[in-house]
Amino acid sequence: MKSHSSLGKVYLVGAGPGAADLITVRGAKLLETADIVFHDALVEPEMLDLCPQAIKVAVGKRCGKLSSAQHFINKRLVDAAQQYKTIVRLKGGDPMLFGRADEELNALNTAGIAVEVVPGITAALAGAASLGQSLTLRGISRSVAFVTLAQATDNLSDSANQGIAPIINPSADTLVYYMGRKDAAKIAQQLIKQHHPHQASIPVHILEAVSTKLERHWTSTLGALALGAADHWFDPQSPALIMIGAALAQHSLTQNIEVPALQVNARH
C-alpha cells in the first residue's frame, strides 16, 4: 500500500433530493475536479453532467434491484484512493441520513485514507419546500422524525436477520418515511392503532421523485392510506416520501405555490 501522504482523498458528497441544481456549491466544485465518481442509482443524469472529466461508476442500491453489496463499495473506495487524487462518493440526499455513510467512513479511516463529508439537502426538506408547508408549526408540531423501515441485511447472518425486531413508529408530531412504499398501508394502520396524535383524519402527502421533472403528489388522510388507497398509485421506479402530520393540513392554504407535479387527491 502507498504511504498515507501519497493516497488520494475521498469526499462523501450529498447530491441533494434529485434536481441537479440543488447540490451544494462545494459539492458541485468537487464533481468538477473529481478523478472518479462512485454514484448512487438515484442520482439524476444531469448531475453527472457536472463531472464530464471523471470516471463514473454506478454503485448505488435500489430496493428490489440487483445492486452492489456495501462491503464491495467500501473496498472500491479504498482501492480508488490508491490510484486517484480526488474521489467522490456521490450519495442521494444527505450522506449522513439513511446512506450507510458510517460504514464507508469506518472502512476509509481504518485504511488511513483522508475523507470529508459534504452535506446535501435531504428529500424531506425538499418535500416541505414543494408543498409550501413547514414540517413544524407553532402550536401544532414541535417535533419531526425521519423514519425508514428499510433494513440492510448484507452484513448480517441469516440467524441474525431472524432476530431483528420490528421498528416501532416514533411519536413525533410530523413523520416523514423514507423508502416506505411497500409498507405504506401498514405504517398507517400502526399509527392509527397507536392513537394520539395520529388519528385517521390526519393529513398525508406522498411525494415521488421530489424536486425533479417527474415529481408527483398524492394527498389524502391516514385512514385512506391504511385502507390501501395509495397502493396502486405508486410508481415502483420512483423514490417516494410519505409525510404525515397535522401541520401539513396547512398545505390547503398554500395552493398558489407552483410545483412541477401532478397533484392527485385520493378522496372521492
Side-chain angles (χ1 to χ4, degrees):
M1 177 177 286
K2 295 183 179 180
S3 66
H4 290 181
S5 61
S6 62
L7 293 173
K9 183 172 181 177
V10 177
Y11 297 86
L12 306 187
V13 176
D21 58 355
L22 287 180
I23 192 173
T24 64
V25 173
R26 183 183 297 182
K29 288 182 176 179
L30 284 168
L31 286 178
E32 291 172 357
T33 60
D35 298 305
I36 186 169
V37 175
F38 295 93
H39 61 88
D40 278 358
L42 292 175
V43 169
E44 292 288 307
E46 292 81 3
M47 183 80 67
L48 299 177
D49 289 342
L50 299 176
C51 52
Q53 81 294 339
I55 300 168
K56 302 172 189 65
V57 182
V59 295
K61 295 177 284 295
R62 296 192 66 174
C63 182
K65 301 289 185 180
L66 184 65
S67 56
S68 302
Q70 186 62 49
H71 67 85
F72 182 59
I73 296 174
N74 299 345
K75 184 178 186 304
R76 297 197 74 171
L77 292 174
V78 171
D79 290 346
Q82 300 179 49
Q83 303 177 56
Y84 304 101
K85 178 181 178 181
T86 303
I87 303 95
V88 169
R89 172 68 173 101
L90 189 60
K91 304 171 78 70
D94 183 274
M96 309 302 275
L97 186 65
F98 306 137
R100 301 182 70 174
D102 54 327
E103 297 172 53
E104 294 173 5
L105 289 168
N106 288 338
L108 293 165
N109 288 330
T110 298
I113 296 166
V115 58
E116 180 180 328
V117 178
V118 179
I121 299 172
T122 189
L125 303 184
S130 183
L131 291 176
Q133 176 57 53
S134 173
L135 300 178
T136 58
L137 186 64
R138 185 174 57 176
I140 294 178
S141 175
R142 299 177 62 187
S143 58
V144 180
F146 297 161
V147 191
T148 182
L149 299 184
Q151 184 75 44
T153 59
D154 52 324
N155 288 336
L156 299 173
S157 65
D158 290 340
S159 58
N161 291 345
Q162 294 172 4
I164 296 173
I167 299 174
I168 302 301
N169 288 300
S171 58
D173 298 319
T174 303
L175 303 176
V176 182
Y177 284 85
Y178 288 66
M179 298 170 279
R181 180 194 304 114
K182 67 182 180 62
D183 297 307
K186 184 187 301 182
I187 289 168
Q189 292 162 9
Q190 291 177 348
L191 290 173
I192 293 171
K193 186 177 180 180
Q194 290 175 7
H195 303 298
H196 186 77
H198 301 291
Q199 304 290 341
S201 59
I202 288 291
V204 173
H205 297 280
I206 301 175
L207 287 78
E208 283 190 343
V210 66
S211 82
T212 74
K213 61 187 177 183
L214 299 177
E215 181 175 326
R216 298 195 305 152
H217 295 185
W218 183 94
T219 303
S220 191
T221 64
L222 198 60
L225 187 64
L227 293 174
D231 289 355
H232 298 294
W233 176 85
F234 285 107
D235 179 353
Q237 302 303 316
S238 293
L241 285 176
I242 302 173
M243 308 175 73
I244 302 167
L248 302 177
Q250 297 296 310
H251 176 56
S252 61
L253 303 178
T254 57
Q255 291 292 326
N256 59 321
I257 293 180
E258 296 181 2
V259 294
L262 173 62
Q263 189 86 9
V264 180
N265 193 309
R267 290 170 287 190
H268 302 290

